[in-house]
Amino acid sequence: MIWPLYLNECVKIFSKLRTYIGFGAIALIIPLAIWGFSVGGSGIQRNLLGQLEGEFLTTGNLANGMWASYTLMFALFIHVPFLITLGAGDAVAGEGTAGTFRIYLTRPISRSRILFSKLLASGTYSVALVFWLGLLSLGIGNIWLGAGDVFVLTGDEILILPFEVALGRFAIAYLLAAFMMLTVTTLTFLFSVLVTNAVGPIVGTMAVLIVSTVLSVLNIDNLAWLQDNLFTTHFDVWQYAFYDPIPWDSIRSSLLNLGTYGAIFAVLSFYFFNRKDILT
Amino acid sequence: MPEAILTTVNLTKRFGKRLAVDQLSLEIPPGEIFGFLGPNGSGKSTTIRMMLSLIHPDAGDVYCFGQPVSKSYPEYLENIGALVEGADFYGNLSALTNLKMLARMNSGVDEQRCLEVLRLVDLESRKDDQVKTFSHGMRQRLGIAQAVLHRPKLLILDEPSTGLDPQGMVEMRRMIQALVRDEGMTVFLSSHMLNEVEQICTSLAVLDEGRLLVSGPVDQYLSAESATLTELQATPAEKAHKILGTLEFVTDLEESNGGFRFRTPHARRPQVIQALTEGSVEIFSMNPVSNLEDYFLSLFGAKEISVL
């Protein structure tokens, strides 16, 4: 019975104009950024080579499409959660605002199933957004700037991944990023259950993310125990995909943290939604 | 006596300090058009939302075909179709897409049935139009369509005529009567429009401040007042007033809207007309005020009641 409900939710999400704001914003930013890399490519290359000077002999173009995609992941994953809230935040709260729960929840389907279908559809939206980002940045980047080996800085190490290896690493990185964004989705979803306006989940999620990120990066010893357990501390899990060798233990640990938070947010969403009085 | 389709037992709901519904016990027998009356804010919508599990009661329970809905949720909703307050849909989707989405949530409802109910409410020609382009009346009709989509046994309608023009109200009433007659549905009709309830309902319950005031067959309340409130437009007014004042079966005489209001038994109305005519008074109109309205006024006293 979940499939028809999931189909309903996808129809609702993808028939709204606001759903495409995120996709549109990414489609606008990526070509602009790639254009910026192409214009300032020689300067960027000089900077990169400057770090290697005296130790390596480099040939070819380091500031290629693969490198641009890698760099864009850093920049955009700060902003993608905001775009996710636009879609997931509306999933429950939007129905409350529109009054459509009065026809939708008076069907012989339990609230838990309906909420689960909404969560699946919101997750689909978030994952689609992440892969849209990957598709555009790799596609446009490699077409515009050319494909090649990717030069990455991992912690204090420099790593040059051959093109064929890098493609696989990007696939892993985007999968990890999608998982991280699903945690953001469940947080937005929880706020969407708690309020009856579409702005509340956006503001609530962003507030939690900002506060948690600030706590994650504060250099205070007494907060170390907290920082290790904050989910925002693990938002950079995708970067592990570019380490050599890939630190699977660290990835497992980060996914466990993100998954636990996601599960808590989801369980709370179900708890509150099943007890919610529909007054609108 | 056949088993009641829906029963509420000591249903209670509180919002903060305000008691919205207070130990409400109701029984909706099958085949009836059951009027649910009460002033605005009397707890009608809260009761309906509890019947539909949109609101959780603080105490009491709702029973559908004898089963407590707290145990038979959500399956019991297969037997119920509802239009709660305004008909709100996914405005950016077409009428047909809206119905198809809802059809996926009920077993045995296909696209043909969606088209059938659109035809029933005279919206088939607009099936592909976005609902946001619909008038209020069209949305209400689409609201009826979604409520009867899965052929429920009980149709719960919460103020279905609100915001409709007179023609729309007549159409709505005809539609409700047709559903009872042709589809064998039982209708629970919440309204504050007394003439609507009087015209189509067979039983009624009256709610005030969350408490049940009366409940029973409509006829019982229509015949309760032997002296019917009557409105008269006649000229010359002074002479009419003088004659009416002399008739012993005319009571509570007062001026109203350029004419008069008084109470008189139905059987005495010819004598009133005869007395006025013999006194050379020209009668433009003499009509009984809605009996139910009259009953309501006696029930609520000076309280303000929204009446159309």
Side-chain angles (χ1 to χ4, degrees):
Chain A
M1 191 62 201
I2 284 297
W3 170 245
L5 297 177
Y6 172 70
L7 187 64
N8 279 356
E9 295 308 322
C10 287
V11 169
K12 288 182 209 170
I13 287 180
F14 291 103
S15 67
K16 282 182 201 158
L17 195 62
R18 64 184 293 168
T19 302
Y20 299 98
I21 292 173
F23 290 97
I26 289 171
L28 194 72
I29 292 166
I30 298 289
L32 267 176
I34 302 282
W35 172 77
F37 288 136
S38 73
V39 171
S42 56
I44 295 166
Q45 179 142 345
R46 254 197 317 275
N47 286 341
L48 292 174
L49 291 175
Q51 295 174 49
L52 305 177
E53 220 168 23
E55 296 184 45
F56 294 94
L57 177 65
T58 57
T59 57
N61 181 18
L62 286 184
N64 58 25
M66 301 295 270
W67 174 82
S69 301
Y70 173 72
T71 309
L72 277 171
M73 284 186 87
F74 277 97
L76 290 178
F77 277 120
I78 300 165
H79 307 293
V80 170
F82 174 74
L83 299 177
I84 281 173
T85 61
L86 292 178
D90 209 34
V92 181
E95 298 238 19
T97 309
T100 43
F101 270 146
R102 295 198 305 271
I103 57 167
Y104 207 69
L105 292 185
T106 51
R107 305 280 148 184
I109 308 284
S110 72
R111 287 193 187 191
S112 294
R113 277 173 184 248
I114 288 172
L115 196 71
F116 185 59
S117 67
K118 285 183 177 295
L119 189 56
L120 278 184
S122 299
T124 303
Y125 165 80
S126 302
V127 171
L129 207 58
V130 171
F131 286 117
W132 175 244
L133 170 69
L135 193 73
L136 280 192
S137 63
L138 282 171
I140 296 175
N142 284 333
I143 290 168
W144 200 326
L145 301 173
D149 300 344
V150 63
F151 170 93
V152 295
L153 290 167
T154 55
D156 52 0
E157 289 180 1
I158 293 166
L159 192 67
I160 296 171
L161 295 166
F163 176 74
E164 298 75 22
V165 176
L167 277 180
R169 298 299 184 93
F170 269 107
I172 295 169
Y174 278 107
L175 280 173
L176 294 173
F179 192 89
M180 177 265 272
M181 290 304 173
L182 285 177
T183 305
V184 177
T185 305
T186 54
L187 174 64
T188 309
F189 208 72
L190 173 59
F191 280 112
S192 190
V193 166
L194 293 174
V195 301
T196 50
N197 64 76
V199 181
I202 299 171
V203 175
T205 305
M206 294 315 291
V208 170
L209 291 184
I210 289 167
V211 170
S212 187
T213 304
V214 168
L215 287 172
S216 295
V217 297
L218 280 178
N219 195 12
I220 300 170
D221 289 344
N222 290 341
L223 285 178
W225 64 272
L226 179 67
Q227 288 169 335
D228 288 344
N229 293 303
L230 286 171
F231 65 103
T232 45
T233 307
H234 300 272
F235 270 18
D236 57 2
V237 60
W238 62 271
Q239 290 181 38
Y240 291 137
F242 295 100
Y243 282 44
D244 198 42
I246 296 173
W248 291 108
D249 282 345
S250 300
I251 289 176
R252 238 190 317 272
S253 166
S254 288
L255 292 185
L256 185 67
N257 176 286
L258 291 168
T260 304
Y261 272 99
I264 290 169
F265 296 147
V267 166
L268 286 175
S269 300
F270 280 90
Y271 176 83
F272 288 117
F273 189 64
N274 276 310
R275 279 155 187 77
K276 191 181 176 85
D277 282 339
I278 307 299
L279 302 171
T280 55
Chain B
M1 189 177 168
E3 184 183 37
I5 284 197
L6 202 79
T7 309
T8 70
V9 178
N10 294 327
L11 206 58
T12 303
K13 182 67 183 179
R14 188 179 281 280
F15 293 112
K17 288 181 180 174
R18 192 174 70 83
L19 192 58
V21 177
D22 186 11
Q23 297 186 30
L24 179 67
S25 295
L26 276 179
E27 203 166 279
I28 306 166
E32 299 263 350
I33 303 182
F34 193 101
F36 194 40
L37 284 165
N40 292 329
S42 57
K44 301 191 297 292
S45 290
T46 304
T47 303
I48 284 176
R49 284 171 190 249
M50 285 193 282
M51 288 173 169
L52 295 166
S53 298
L54 290 172
I55 288 180
H56 303 283
D58 292 329
D61 209 343
V62 176
Y63 293 79
C64 189
F65 288 108
Q67 294 290 315
V69 303
S70 52
K71 292 195 171 65
S72 57
Y73 171 84
E75 289 79 16
Y76 85 97
L77 290 169
E78 193 77 63
N79 295 311
I80 299 177
L83 173 59
V84 185
E85 294 179 35
D88 289 308
F89 288 89
Y90 305 99
N92 53 340
L93 301 176
S94 72
L96 183 59
T97 306
N98 267 281
L99 291 185
K100 278 162 73 176
M101 281 204 317
L102 298 171
R104 288 187 198 111
M105 304 173 79
N106 289 92
S107 54
V109 183
D110 55 14
E111 188 170 342
Q112 277 309 311
R113 175 62 181 167
C114 296
L115 293 169
E116 195 180 312
V117 293
L118 282 171
R119 208 173 303 130
L120 178 79
V121 297
D122 203 20
L123 283 175
E124 199 182 16
S125 61
R126 300 290 302 270
K127 67 182 167 65
D128 296 320
D129 293 350
Q130 286 184 314
V131 175
K132 68 182 174 191
T133 65
F134 282 15
S135 68
H136 179 73
M138 290 163 73
R139 281 178 201 221
Q140 289 293 92
R141 291 198 328 253
L142 187 59
I144 296 284
Q146 64 79 27
V148 300
L149 188 64
H150 53 296
R151 298 184 182 87
K153 293 186 176 75
L154 172 65
L155 186 59
I156 296 180
L157 303 173
D158 189 7
E159 311 275 6
S161 302
T162 300
L164 296 183
D165 58 27
Q167 190 189 345
M169 286 184 196
V170 171
E171 280 176 16
M172 182 65 76
R173 274 176 220 142
R174 282 185 187 151
M175 211 182 292
I176 293 168
Q177 286 171 316
L179 286 169
V180 175
R181 187 183 59 237
D182 303 336
E183 310 251 345
M185 288 181 192
T186 300
V187 176
F188 183 80
L189 174 70
S190 163
S191 180
H192 60 253
M193 297 182 187
L194 301 177
N195 57 347
E196 183 173 74
V197 172
E198 188 172 344
Q199 282 178 43
I200 65 171
C201 291
T202 47
S203 293
L204 65 80
V206 181
L207 201 65
D208 186 39
E209 294 180 351
R211 283 180 165 273
L212 184 68
L213 291 188
V214 290
S215 177
V218 169
D219 293 345
Q220 182 183 325
Y221 301 101
L222 295 182
S223 59
E225 289 288 328
S226 56
T228 309
L229 194 62
T230 305
E231 281 183 341
L232 172 75
Q233 295 288 338
T235 187
E238 299 79 18
K239 195 182 270 187
H241 187 272
K242 194 174 172 184
I243 292 169
L244 289 170
T246 61
L247 301 173
E248 60 184 22
F249 42 84
V250 168
T251 57
D252 300 337
L253 178 62
E254 59 179 32
E255 288 184 20
S256 167
N257 297 328
F260 303 98
R261 268 188 163 207
F262 54 89
R263 288 183 188 279
T264 192
H266 186 75
R268 297 281 192 169
R269 290 181 70 210
Q271 286 172 265
V272 174
I273 294 169
Q274 189 181 0
L276 290 169
T277 309
E278 284 174 357
S280 301
V281 172
E282 282 186 73
I283 300 171
F284 296 110
S285 66
M286 192 169 102
N287 300 312
V289 173
S290 157
N291 280 358
L292 201 54
E293 183 181 329
D294 191 18
Y295 175 71
F296 244 68
L297 289 170
S298 67
L299 197 65
F300 284 95
K303 273 192 180 172
E304 191 179 322
I305 304 164
S306 305
V307 177
L308 270 184

